[in-house]
Amino acid sequence: MAEKFHRATLTRNFLKTITRIKNPDEMLAEAKAEGLEKTLGVMDLIVLGVGAIIGSGIFAVVGIAAAGNADGSSLGAGPALVVSMIIAAIACVFSALCYSEFATMIPVAGGAYTYTFATLGEFAAWMVGWVLMLEYAIGFIAVACAWSNHFVQFLSGFEKVLPAWLAHPPVWLVNDVFSAAKIAANNPDTYVPHLFGMPVCINLPAILIVLLITSILVKGTKDSTKMAGIMVFVKLAVIALFVLAGAFFVRPENWSPFAPNGAAGIFAGAFLIFFAYIGFDALATAAEECKNPQKDLPIGIIGSLIITTIVYVAVALVLTGMQSTSGHVSAEFLKAPMAYCMTCLLYTSDA
């Protein structure tokens, strides 16, 4: 009998522990006593949001979303990518409204982890925390690899000035194992070193850019915001240059057929482009550092979504107008679509 009672007590205590919630008032009191410095305003939040959202989606994923994968595993939306972006933005708005509501009610650091702790308990918050870590890890990998692809293509434009090893670095130093294997399959002369029978491949530019960004982030949110402002300006300037210059080379016939794969292609494109909007939720984690979170956070989250959607649509219109996405496209277009289109224009102009 005592053993049964003991087991029942342990089970009850265990369930009580993992379902324990943290009172929001207690969280607010802790944040007020030992919280972070409140330095962020509306413009800071919008800059952080735009900087977090605009990344691999506009520079890399948009190519696959428009034309589909080379192996046919994913359908492309074609010029209807514009519709895909609007669908993904609408889906994000509902999620953004939820984040805004929670962030104004519990304006402390932690984001979804904190909100789950306050409503569903410690165990559910622990699970959400791990899911968020996986989400950001996968997102950062994609962004770093996309930056690496553009950086390598940028270096190749200086092949007459730079040494050959730098203008065209070894495949195994700028690709992961799977990408290097695909390149080697199409080009048997590609050299890939092996260790104990296993290929050795690292994406060195991607690793270096992650280390650089990490060194900036550890300095603090205010310094990170300044750096984010500079990067947002650079990114928007590059995108504006692409849209303004590319608009003169748009061929309307490339917009026909508008949706080569019908609704299936449009929703497949929306599925991929939704990944490009990941980042707006990161603003919720900055709630504790906002001067007026109840007012500024909703404006910052929704404002950054509106700005990025306008930018995405403009790029999609020009990109699909410059390059036909209804049929087969180059692998380079899928990796770095904007850089590929501009490179083609340069070569056409030289010819």
Side-chain angles (χ1 to χ4, degrees):
M1 190 69 151
E3 184 180 357
K4 289 183 179 179
F5 174 77
H6 183 62
R7 288 179 179 176
T9 303
L10 285 177
T11 302
R12 195 161 48 245
N13 289 339
F14 174 73
L15 292 174
K16 185 178 180 180
T17 300
I18 66 174
T19 56
R20 180 188 58 176
I21 64 173
K22 194 168 185 178
N23 193 301
D25 293 332
E26 182 182 347
M27 294 181 181
L28 293 173
E30 290 178 357
K32 187 175 182 180
E34 304 176 2
L36 302 170
E37 185 179 356
K38 298 184 180 297
T39 58
L40 303 180
V42 175
M43 290 306 301
D44 294 322
L45 290 171
I46 292 178
V47 167
L48 283 174
V50 173
I53 296 172
I54 295 180
S56 63
I58 199 66
F59 291 109
V61 178
V62 68
I64 300 175
N69 277 332
D71 57 6
S73 59
S74 176
L75 295 175
L81 179 62
V82 174
V83 181
S84 300
M85 289 177 169
I86 295 174
I87 292 173
I90 293 172
C92 287
V93 164
F94 290 107
S95 179
L97 290 173
C98 293
Y99 269 100
S100 300
E101 182 70 18
F102 275 114
T104 53
M105 291 172 61
I106 313 176
V108 298
Y113 170 83
T114 299
Y115 312 146
T116 308
F117 204 160
T119 54
L120 299 178
E122 188 171 5
F123 179 73
W126 181 79
M127 294 292 291
V128 167
W130 276 107
V131 170
L132 287 173
M133 289 182 66
L134 290 172
E135 172 195 342
Y136 288 125
I138 294 172
F140 293 157
I141 290 171
V143 171
C145 290
W147 182 88
S148 177
N149 290 334
H150 281 79
F151 181 68
V152 171
Q153 197 163 43
F154 174 76
L155 290 179
S156 66
F158 297 91
E159 58 185 356
K160 296 181 180 179
V161 179
L162 298 174
W165 63 268
L166 186 58
H168 300 284
V171 169
W172 64 277
L173 276 179
V174 293
N175 286 282
D176 58 84
V177 174
F178 300 105
S179 299
K182 291 180 180 179
I183 295 173
N186 296 326
N187 187 1
D189 295 331
T190 302
Y191 171 73
V192 176
H194 287 70
L195 182 63
F196 303 115
M198 298 181 63
V200 178
C201 297
I202 60 171
N203 197 327
L204 188 59
I207 294 173
L208 294 178
I209 193 64
V210 169
L211 292 176
L212 175 62
I213 298 301
T214 302
S215 66
I216 296 172
L217 290 174
V218 297
K219 291 186 176 182
T221 301
K222 193 61 181 178
D223 290 336
S224 301
T225 304
K226 293 177 182 176
M227 188 62 190
I230 296 173
M231 295 306 298
V232 167
F233 175 78
V234 172
K235 285 192 286 188
L236 291 180
V238 170
I239 291 172
L241 179 63
F242 171 78
V243 171
L244 294 175
F248 293 98
F249 298 91
V250 167
R251 292 183 295 173
E253 59 268 23
N254 287 336
W255 289 333
S256 181
F258 182 70
N261 293 306
I266 292 174
F267 283 103
F271 173 79
L272 289 172
I273 289 298
F274 184 82
F275 171 78
Y277 282 97
I278 290 178
F280 69 88
D281 55 316
L283 287 181
T285 62
E288 193 173 323
E289 297 165 274
C290 292
K291 296 176 182 177
N292 186 0
Q294 283 75 17
K295 176 184 177 183
D296 295 349
L297 269 174
I299 297 175
I301 294 175
I302 302 299
S304 59
L305 272 176
I306 292 173
I307 292 173
T308 51
T309 301
I310 294 172
V311 172
Y312 279 16
V313 168
V315 171
L317 285 172
V318 173
L319 186 71
T320 54
M322 294 175 65
Q323 171 69 42
S324 174
T325 53
S326 300
H328 176 75
V329 296
S330 169
E332 296 300 321
F333 174 81
L334 298 179
K335 284 185 176 182
M338 293 171 62
Y340 174 82
C341 289
M342 295 307 291
T343 302
C344 290
L345 286 182
L346 290 176
Y347 283 129
T348 302
S349 300
D350 291 342

